[in-house]
């Protein structure tokens, strides 16, 4: 099934997973779906429709956001899904909070 995954980028952040699935529903049953950071990676049960779906969704405007699609090699899709599953450390979370209040002295 090489190259049967699709990346859909440019989704509005306000869209829920259910709304994105509803957008994809007319194209058929999904066998893979992952949504993160305004990007969905999905695969259709009928992989013969992959190119048609890429063409149909590319350039569509949703809530003032222009969607961009790309057909993904299965190895690229797997790497992107692995990357998405790995938590990104936040530098701010590692640093202790700073305070401008004076530290009380011991008596």
């Amino acid at each position: 099934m090489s190259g049967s995954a699709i990346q859909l980028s440019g989704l509005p952040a306000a869209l829920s997973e259910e709304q994105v699935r509803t957008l994809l529903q007319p194209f058929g049953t999904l066998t893979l779906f992952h949504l993160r950071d305004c990007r969905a990676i999905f695969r259709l049960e009928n992989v013969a429709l992959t190119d048609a779906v890429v063409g149909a969704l590319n350039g569509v405007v949703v809530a003032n956001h222009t969607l961009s699609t790309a057909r993904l090699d299965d190895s690229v899709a797997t790497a992107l899904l692995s990357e998405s599953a790995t938590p990104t450390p936040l530098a701010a979370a590692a640093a202790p909070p700073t305070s401008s209040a004076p530290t009380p002295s011991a008596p």
Side-chain angles (χ1 to χ4, degrees), residues 30-52:
L30 300 174
T31 59
L32 169 73
F33 180 84
H34 182 78
L35 177 64
R36 182 166 184 229
D37 298 332
C38 303
R39 176 177 68 188
I41 296 173
F42 65 98
R43 181 180 294 119
L44 297 167
E45 184 175 65
N46 184 353
V47 296
L49 295 175
T50 301
D51 287 331

Side-chain angles (χ1 to χ4, degrees), residues 46-66:
N46 184 353
V47 296
L49 295 175
T50 301
D51 287 331
V53 172
V54 167
L57 290 174
N58 197 47
V60 169
V61 177
V62 176
N64 294 324
H65 288 76
T66 302

Side-chain angles (χ1 to χ4, degrees), residues 12-106:
L15 285 184
S16 68
E17 180 176 326
E18 182 180 340
Q19 289 170 314
V20 175
R21 285 180 180 269
T22 299
L23 176 70
L24 301 174
Q25 183 180 13
F27 301 106
T29 303
L30 300 174
T31 59
L32 169 73
F33 180 84
H34 182 78
L35 177 64
R36 182 166 184 229
D37 298 332
C38 303
R39 176 177 68 188
I41 296 173
F42 65 98
R43 181 180 294 119
L44 297 167
E45 184 175 65
N46 184 353
V47 296
L49 295 175
T50 301
D51 287 331
V53 172
V54 167
L57 290 174
N58 197 47
V60 169
V61 177
V62 176
N64 294 324
H65 288 76
T66 302
L67 304 182
S68 174
T69 57
R71 185 177 187 139
L72 296 178
D73 227 20
D74 286 345
S75 61
V76 173
T78 301
L80 287 171
L81 292 171
S82 296
E83 172 186 300
S84 295
T86 306
T88 304
L90 299 175
T98 58
S99 173
S100 57
T103 305
S105 304

